[in-house]
Amino acid sequence: MIRHLRPLITLSCVLIISGCASSSRLELPRTSDATEQLWQSHHKSMLALRQWQLSGKIGYRSAEQASSANLNWRQQGEEFNINLSGPLGQGGAELSGNTDHIRLKVAGQGEYTSSDPEQLLEQKTGWTLPLDTLLHWVRGVPAPQLKAQYRLDEQGRLTHLTQYHWQIDYLSYHRSSSNWLPKKIKLHYGGTTLTLIIKQWDTSITAS
């Protein structure tokens, strides 16, 4: 785990991502052409990455609770399977489906389905997880079609992202093949803090 970063010259840019034809980029001091090219290349690669698996730990803290779990997340296109082992003092939880429909199994409670994944997860576990946008954030890119503000380091990687009322800090990265993949991420929204520590990425997953 990297606890503090080597000082970098912070390179800032703000991007508005919108489905509307009137969308535009805010005028701010330009990043270097080299950094911009690195970011555009990285952004394109991460959007194209649709099959992957990661493992690590997730910490959750709110006014009501503080807990953590081992995390195993497998993504294949729009479909995901997320295993949380040991949260809330229980045996764990398994989420599967997509951002429109979810099946949730909670140890000692049962199995539930819903067309509102975030609401179901919060009702049954007390955890607030922005599943739709987290799919993109965990790869180190903003979610499409939503306004976003972000900062880049000189290697063209996100260091901070503000989107969907969440503040996301990228504290360290893994080097994987030709890509940089997040290693430690902190997410804040109101009184809720999520900490993701990703120990291993596997981008060789093929569609089943």
Side-chain angles (χ1 to χ4, degrees), residues 1-2 5 8 39 42 46 137-141 151-153 155-161 168-176 179-185 198 201:
M1 184 188 311
I2 298 176
L5 298 176
L8 295 172
W39 166 243
H42 176 71
M46 290 301 97
W137 297 345
V138 77
R139 286 177 285 164
V141 293
R151 291 196 300 270
L152 304 175
D153 65 18
Q155 292 177 287
R157 307 172 302 188
L158 285 182
T159 59
H160 180 81
L161 171 65
I168 303 105
D169 291 301
Y170 292 86
L171 303 180
S172 59
Y173 283 84
H174 289 282
R175 179 71 171 178
S176 175
N179 293 316
W180 288 100
L181 294 163
K183 180 179 181 181
K184 184 176 182 180
I185 312 170
I198 302 169
W201 278 95

Side-chain angles (χ1 to χ4, degrees), residues 58-69 84 86-90 93 106 109 120-129 189 191-195:
I58 181 170
Y60 183 90
R61 182 178 294 275
S62 69
E64 292 76 28
Q65 64 168 303
S67 56
S68 64
L84 301 170
L88 312 176
Q90 303 174 27
V106 181
Q109 293 188 33
L120 177 63
L121 185 65
E122 187 170 6
Q123 286 176 346
K124 300 303 180 182
T125 69
W127 284 33
T128 300
L129 289 179
Y189 170 61
T192 298
T193 299
L194 297 173
T195 302

Side-chain angles (χ1 to χ4, degrees), residues 32-191:
S32 71
D33 289 342
T35 298
E36 184 67 19
Q37 289 175 6
L38 287 170
W39 166 243
Q40 294 299 332
S41 176
H42 176 71
H43 183 263
K44 184 177 179 180
S45 295
M46 290 301 97
L47 290 181
L49 182 61
R50 294 176 55 80
Q51 274 80 230
W52 44 265
Q53 185 167 344
L54 65 80
S55 60
K57 295 195 72 173
I58 181 170
Y60 183 90
R61 182 178 294 275
S62 69
E64 292 76 28
Q65 64 168 303
S67 56
S68 64
N70 294 317
L71 170 68
N72 192 288
W73 181 343
R74 185 182 181 93
Q75 189 77 33
Q76 292 187 290
E78 299 299 322
E79 301 293 320
F80 61 75
N81 184 275
I82 300 173
N83 278 282
L84 301 170
S85 57
L88 312 176
Q90 303 174 27
E94 179 183 359
L95 303 84
S96 58
N98 52 54
T99 54
D100 294 321
H101 189 270
I102 189 176
R103 184 175 73 251
L104 173 64
K105 296 179 183 178
V106 181
Q109 293 188 33
E111 182 174 327
Y112 313 89
T113 60
S114 175
S115 59
D116 190 336
E118 292 180 25
Q119 183 182 55
L120 177 63
L121 185 65
E122 187 170 6
Q123 286 176 346
K124 300 303 180 182
T125 69
W127 284 33
T128 300
L129 289 179
L131 291 172
D132 194 6
T133 49
L134 192 60
L135 165 64
H136 300 279
W137 297 345
V138 77
R139 286 177 285 164
V141 293
Q145 310 304 323
L146 293 174
K147 291 181 180 180
Q149 293 182 323
Y150 61 79
R151 291 196 300 270
L152 304 175
D153 65 18
E154 59 190 4
Q155 292 177 287
R157 307 172 302 188
L158 285 182
T159 59
H160 180 81
L161 171 65
T162 300
Q163 191 173 42
Y164 194 48
H165 309 299
W166 285 80
Q167 304 287 325
I168 303 105
D169 291 301
Y170 292 86
L171 303 180
S172 59
Y173 283 84
H174 289 282
R175 179 71 171 178
S176 175
S177 184
S178 59
N179 293 316
W180 288 100
L181 294 163
K183 180 179 181 181
K184 184 176 182 180
I185 312 170
K186 279 209 168 189
L187 306 93
H188 305 273
Y189 170 61

